[in-house]
């Protein structure tokens, strides 16, 4: 079997000059490595500092991020510690990473009580994404000046900064995408199986952050199949095409099966995100039903276009150029970012239009690394870093346009109430321009404040283990801010169903119920449909608590033994 090695690979792998058998490039690589470490540490500290400021000073955070910190804590701080307490509705990677950070809250409580473990998680992932983009730029041969310009335009982009500190899964997803693109580009140059293996691993890791990585993998598999087919000898096309595809797809296929089977065995649901009453599809359906079945306004094409182009105005132009140059000039490497990230953006638009998702502004964030990777990929690894061919000029134009034109447009878009997500982008606008916002409208700045008071009230009762029953899907804020984590009977506990059916016999003293007008998937409300209005014969109303937006959100009932058990 003949192994063909591209000239670009030889140029990258063989030292140009050696002295005494040691590459003269070694000191340079060592210096570059330390620069990378310094960059990673500095960005992580910067992103975490921004997040800590917004959370501790302005109470500005996304509740989805805080709920994942609660999931992380439940794995070892609940009455029945177990890893499956992390849940199967949302992808587990953010919560997995947050587990050690929540454990460290014993020395600094805000890591748990203010969910800063999530901020730390996303800060590390986004810093890793910047570092991976740096590696991609070095692979492609960018000069130091253009490399730092590209990194600054990406790392300091306002949207990237916001979601680097958000605690959400976007940072982990972007890290995995750039990781996958980098090694898929390396494979395009080298044809080495190890580069394709790393691509597959990156996509598998990404799947643990966002389910959209399934369609990203499908796109990458098509590209790998076509490239392998064109490179294969005529008599070996089947095996030479099938094997690279299997190498690419196997890691995410294994992860897909393991995660689905684990959900089926432990939660009786193969794909909880789709089938669970807590899943995104159920939440969207409930939201539509609450509006009388009318089509939500966010499904309109102008809204979809506003969010896509508000995120990155040049995403379609850059993708079109990459496809045109890639096909006409046979620069197939330029197709890699489009093939990997493009399907995710298409799915985001489809999900918003259908609607199967809420179409949040952040769902289009991958447009930013897409354009950045296209721009960097315009450089050829084998070219002189100081030469300026046409494709390199395109890359320079995209980098400059993204920095000087796209960032101001995106900044304006994210601060627009019609486009930006309220908890972060509009919330940030209320911080920067407080004169434009009345305090009664800034409900996103009051999230978790009343939950903190509920936790304080319960802690002051000095209750024993298993004294408070609640569904943590909506009351995670109470659990996070309580200093007595074991006083709760939670949905992830092994005895939750038993305690829910006969709380008066299981030592439960209080039940926290979520308003059915705000949230209709509460396990307590489903078991006792009349509990919100009447107490269902098992509870005496004790406290009523309003939500961040004003209306009543929770009621706390003192448990009593029902007089007629047949009518609970």
């Amino acid at each position: 079997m003949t192994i063909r090695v591209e000239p670009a690979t030889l140029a990258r792998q063989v030292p140009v000059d050696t002295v005494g058998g040691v590459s003269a490039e070694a000191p340079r690589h060592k210096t570059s490595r330390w620069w990378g470490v310094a960059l990673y540490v500095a960005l992580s500290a910067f992103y975490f500092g921004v997040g800590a400021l917004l959370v501790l000073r302005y109470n500005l955070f996304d509740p989805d991020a805080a709920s994942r910190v609660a999931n992380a804590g439940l794995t070892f701080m609940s009455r029945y510690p177990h890893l499956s307490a992390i849940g199967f509705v949302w992808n587990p990677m953010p919560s997995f990473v947050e587990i050690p950070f929540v454990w460290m809250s014993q020395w600094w409580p805000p890591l748990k009580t203010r969910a800063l473990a999530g901020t730390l998680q996303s800060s590390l992932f986004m810093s890793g994404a910047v570092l991976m983009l740096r590696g991609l730029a070095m692979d492609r041969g960018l000069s130091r000046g253009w490399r730092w310009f590209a990194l600054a335009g990406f790392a300091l982009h306002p949207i990237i900064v916001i979601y680097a500190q958000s605690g959400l899964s976007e940072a982990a997803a972007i890290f995995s995408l750039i990781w996958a693109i980098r090694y898929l580009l390396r494979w395009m140059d080298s044809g080495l199986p190890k580069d394709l293996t790393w691509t597959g691993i990156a996509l598998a890791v990404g799947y643990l952050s966002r389910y959209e990585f399934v369609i990203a993998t499908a796109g990458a598999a098509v590209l790998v199949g076509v490239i392998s087919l064109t490179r294969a000898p005529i008599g070996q096309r089947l095996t030479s095409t099938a094997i690279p595809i299997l190498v690419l797809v196997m890691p995410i296929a294994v992860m897909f099966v393991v995660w689905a089977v684990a959900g089926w065995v432990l939660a009786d649901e193969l794909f909880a995100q789709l089938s669970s009453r807590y899943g995104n599809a159920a939440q969207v359906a409930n939201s539509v039903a609450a509006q009388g079945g009318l089509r939500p306004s966010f499904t309109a094409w102008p809204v979809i276009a506003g969010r896509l182009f508000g995120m990155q105005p040049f995403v379609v132009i850059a993708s079109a150029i990459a496809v045109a140059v890639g096909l006409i000039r046979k620069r197939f490497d330029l197709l890699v970012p489009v093939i990997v990230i493009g399907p995710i953006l298409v799915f985001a638009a489809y999900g918003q239009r259908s609607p199967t998702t809420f179409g949040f502004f952040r769902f289009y964030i991958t447009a930013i690394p897409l354009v950045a990777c296209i721009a960097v990929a315009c450089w050829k690894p084998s070219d002189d870093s100081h030469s300026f061919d046409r494709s390199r000029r395109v890359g320079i134009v995209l980098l400059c346009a993204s920095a000087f034109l796209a960032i101001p447009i995106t900044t304006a878009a994210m601060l627009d109430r019609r486009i930006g997500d309220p908890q972060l982008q509009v919330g940030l606008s209320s911080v920067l321009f407080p004169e434009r916002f009345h305090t009664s409208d800034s409900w996103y700045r009051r999230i978790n404040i009343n939950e903190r008071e509920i936790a304080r009230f319960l802690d002051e009762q000095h209750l024993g283990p298993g004294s408070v029953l609640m569904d943590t899907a909506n009351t995670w804020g109470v659990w996070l801010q309580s200093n007595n984590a074991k006083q709760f009977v939670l949905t992830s506990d092994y005895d939750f169903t038993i305690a829910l059916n006969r709380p008066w016999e299981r030592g439960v003293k209080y039940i926290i119920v979520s308003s059915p007008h705000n949230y209709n998937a509460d396990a307590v409300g489903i078991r006792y449909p009349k509990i919100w209005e009447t107490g269902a014969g098992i509870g005496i109303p004790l406290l009523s608590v309003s939500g961040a937006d004003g209306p009543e959100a929770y009621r706390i009932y003192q448990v009593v033994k029902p007089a007629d058990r047949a009518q609970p």
Side-chain angles (χ1 to χ4, degrees), residues 157-172:
H157 191 294
I159 287 291
I160 295 299
V161 174
I162 287 176
Y163 285 98
Q165 61 81 39
S166 67
L168 294 166
S169 59
E170 275 69 22

Side-chain angles (χ1 to χ4, degrees), residues 354-374:
S354 21
T356 54
T357 71
F358 287 106
F360 294 134
F361 187 47
R362 61 185 170 93
F363 290 171
Y364 297 94
I365 192 173
T366 52
I368 296 174
L370 171 58
V371 175
C373 288
I374 290 175

Side-chain angles (χ1 to χ4, degrees), residues 196-197 199-202 204 246-256:
L196 201 56
T197 301
T199 305
I201 292 173
L246 286 174
V247 170
L248 174 72
V249 174
M250 187 60 68
I252 192 172
V254 171
M255 200 67 68
F256 178 88

Side-chain angles (χ1 to χ4, degrees), residues 352-503:
Q352 182 174 346
R353 177 65 182 174
S354 21
T356 54
T357 71
F358 287 106
F360 294 134
F361 187 47
R362 61 185 170 93
F363 290 171
Y364 297 94
I365 192 173
T366 52
I368 296 174
L370 171 58
V371 175
C373 288
I374 290 175
V376 172
C378 286
W379 272 259
K380 294 181 181 179
S382 57
D383 287 350
D384 178 10
S385 64
H386 298 288
S387 66
F388 287 90
D389 61 4
R390 291 182 180 180
S391 62
R392 183 167 300 189
R393 288 193 177 100
V394 171
I396 292 173
V397 169
L398 285 177
L399 289 178
C400 293
S402 297
F404 300 122
L405 296 177
I407 287 181
I409 293 173
T410 302
T411 302
M414 75 177 190
L415 298 178
D416 190 321
R417 292 191 180 196
R418 298 167 297 180
I419 298 177
D421 300 333
Q423 290 93 342
L424 290 180
Q425 283 90 57
V426 179
L428 181 62
S429 182
S430 69
V431 171
L432 298 176
F433 311 104
E435 68 280 357
R436 301 180 186 177
F437 295 81
H438 193 276
T439 54
S440 61
D441 298 328
S442 302
W443 59 268
Y444 33 80
R445 299 274 298 278
R446 296 191 294 271
I447 296 175
N448 249 15
I449 290 180
N450 288 344
E451 285 82 349
R452 193 178 309 158
E453 295 304 314
I454 295 176
R456 184 179 301 170
F457 164 76
L458 295 173
D459 289 350
E460 290 174 351
Q461 309 303 311
H462 302 290
L463 301 170
S467 298
V468 182
L469 187 144
M470 63 183 187
D471 186 341
T472 46
N474 203 41
T475 59
W476 45 264
V478 177
W479 185 88
L480 277 178
Q481 300 189 72
S482 171
N483 294 321
N484 183 8
K486 297 187 183 300
Q487 68 182 319
F488 299 100
V489 181
L490 309 172
T491 41
S492 60
D493 289 339
Y494 297 137
D495 63 345
F496 177 78
T497 301
I498 298 174
L500 179 62
N501 287 330
R502 307 181 74 83

Side-chain angles (χ1 to χ4, degrees), residues 508-564:
V508 176
K509 299 184 180 299
Y510 301 104
I511 297 178
I512 302 179
V513 185
S514 299
S515 170
H517 306 295
N518 299 334
Y519 190 75
N520 63 358
D522 184 79
V524 179
I526 292 174
R527 173 63 180 84
Y528 302 101
K530 298 294 184 181
I531 192 170
W532 180 260
E533 292 85 2
T534 67
I538 65 167
I540 299 174
L542 189 65
L543 287 176
S544 173
V545 183
S546 62
D549 54 351
E552 187 179 20
Y554 310 103
R555 288 180 182 176
I556 301 178
Y557 292 88
Q558 184 174 353
V559 176
V560 296
K561 184 177 181 179
D564 183 2

